[in-house]
Amino acid sequence: MSELERRYHRLLRAYPAEYRRARGAEIVGTYLDLAGPERRWPSPGDAADLLRGGLRQRLRAAGAADLIPGVRLAAVLAFLTATALAAVWSVLELHPPRTEWGVPNAGPFVSLGIGAWAAWLLAAVVHAVAPGRWTRRAVALALLFTVAVVPVAALAGLPRPPLLVLLPQVGLGLVTLGLPARLPARLRAAPLLAVGAAGLAGVNLLPRNDIVSHYGSYYYGWTAEQILPGTAVVLLVVVLLLGTGLALRADQRGGWALLVLLTPVGLLSLHILAGMADGLLNGAPRPGWSALAATAVVVGLAGPALLPLTIALRKRGRGAVPAGTGDRCPTCGRTAERVA
């Protein structure tokens, strides 16, 4: 056995053992036939293809074949939400408090958050014209800018958006990385439409009365405490309606999308959840920072933990799918038949 073949067999461990026994030699043989004579290592594309195929077969064996389509549906909804919020925050960034109030600002903007929101708006444009790899790169850049706002603001001594706003944006962004490579043109343009609608609403509805909110000088009139929970309700209602409609056609994508979006929805409702917990424990009318931090940790851990738990329960309830059911072609990556 050559070193290249041995390395392909190592990558093949991503597949279930039963599948490897049934199709492993065929899959590795196909990749070896397509490899050049001088190749010593599997190409990055081959490695990614094998890992994706292994994950797909493991999910199919667990009765969770709709998980990946569900993640893609959740990514589309998360991207719409993230770009719409970025448009609203961008409008608010254009109205810094009066300098005589002694509240610092970042030049003509309220804070350094304008860089993160601009990156999200750029990602919406990239998604409309170049979906797939370039969109994922733009989303990753927007995520990087969103996370970097905190240390950069601390080093520069300039204001930044509150963590109450940044955390849900990061949660939505992580889900957005699962965007499908191919979407109809109307869906590719949807984030731009969401940006336009949210920006227009912000310009016409948000007051300009320079009221400093409880969380600092970042929002005026309508604070993040009012905008974020409303967004969470809209997102939750949309995914529930979509999930119900898909379930009527025996399509479980909506259920998986709901599980994936639970963490972003929880982060959007963070101060409400923290207020409920803090009120029950301490009788406090408003949550303190310790309650907010503890609730954020619980929400961040509970959401991802539900996915493997649900997969395990479905596997126990339905049993494993035979390896030959819906086998994946080793060359084109397609399945011979759709697995419900």
Side-chain angles (χ1 to χ4, degrees):
M1 181 183 296
S2 67
E3 189 62 28
L4 178 61
E5 183 178 0
R6 188 174 293 108
R7 286 166 178 157
Y8 273 119
H9 274 287
R10 291 196 192 105
L11 290 172
L12 202 66
R13 293 174 185 170
Y15 286 79
E18 185 180 353
Y19 193 92
R20 292 200 304 270
R21 288 191 293 269
R23 299 288 300 277
E26 179 186 355
I27 293 175
V28 172
T30 301
Y31 280 111
L32 290 174
D33 290 341
L34 296 174
E38 302 300 322
R39 180 173 295 176
R40 295 292 178 267
W41 289 85
S43 68
D46 288 351
D49 184 56
L50 282 168
L51 294 175
R52 283 195 300 266
L55 175 61
R56 189 180 296 113
Q57 290 298 332
R58 288 184 181 275
L59 292 174
R60 181 174 292 114
D66 285 326
L67 173 57
I68 293 178
V71 170
R72 291 170 180 162
L73 175 60
V76 172
L77 296 176
F79 193 37
L80 288 171
T81 307
T83 49
L85 284 174
V88 173
W89 304 146
S90 297
V91 171
L92 294 174
E93 284 282 355
L94 300 176
H95 300 277
R98 295 192 297 267
T99 54
E100 62 266 25
W101 281 22
V103 179
N105 54 62
F109 306 108
V110 174
S111 77
L112 292 180
I114 188 63
W117 313 137
W120 281 104
L121 300 183
L122 175 63
V125 175
V126 173
H127 182 60
V129 298
R133 181 181 304 176
W134 285 105
T135 295
R136 285 191 290 272
R137 289 175 178 175
V139 170
L141 180 65
L143 265 173
L144 178 63
F145 273 55
T146 305
V147 173
V149 163
V150 177
V152 171
L155 291 173
L158 293 173
R160 59 164 175 80
L163 294 178
L164 191 70
V165 170
L166 295 176
L167 281 176
Q169 196 75 16
V170 171
L172 291 166
L174 291 174
V175 176
T176 299
L177 291 174
L179 276 171
R182 294 181 179 86
L183 280 174
R186 64 182 182 277
L187 288 180
R188 296 204 307 269
L192 282 179
L193 296 177
V195 164
L200 187 63
V203 168
N204 289 282
L205 299 179
L206 297 179
R208 310 284 193 275
N209 53 5
D210 290 332
I211 298 175
V212 178
S213 75
H214 173 72
Y215 285 98
S217 63
Y218 189 63
Y219 301 113
Y220 316 106
W222 287 9
T223 67
E225 290 185 348
Q226 297 165 312
I227 296 173
L228 293 176
T231 304
V233 170
V234 172
L235 179 58
L236 188 59
V237 169
V238 169
V239 72
L240 285 173
L241 290 176
L242 283 174
T244 301
L246 291 170
L248 292 175
R249 295 184 293 174
D251 189 334
Q252 303 303 316
R253 283 181 296 166
W256 292 114
L258 175 61
L259 284 175
V260 172
L261 288 171
L262 280 180
T263 293
V265 168
L267 293 175
L268 287 166
S269 310
L270 187 60
H271 79 277
I272 292 180
L273 298 175
M276 293 171 59
D278 209 18
L280 290 175
L281 294 176
N282 304 317
R286 298 179 62 89
W289 289 111
S290 59
L292 287 167
T295 306
V297 171
V298 171
V299 169
L301 294 177
L306 286 175
L307 276 176
L309 177 61
T310 305
I311 292 172
L313 291 175
R314 290 193 65 171
K315 184 175 182 180
R316 174 178 294 183
R318 298 179 58 177
V321 176
T325 303
D327 280 349
R328 177 175 178 273
C329 173
T331 55
C332 68
R334 297 179 180 176
T335 54
E337 57 183 348
R338 188 182 184 277
V339 178

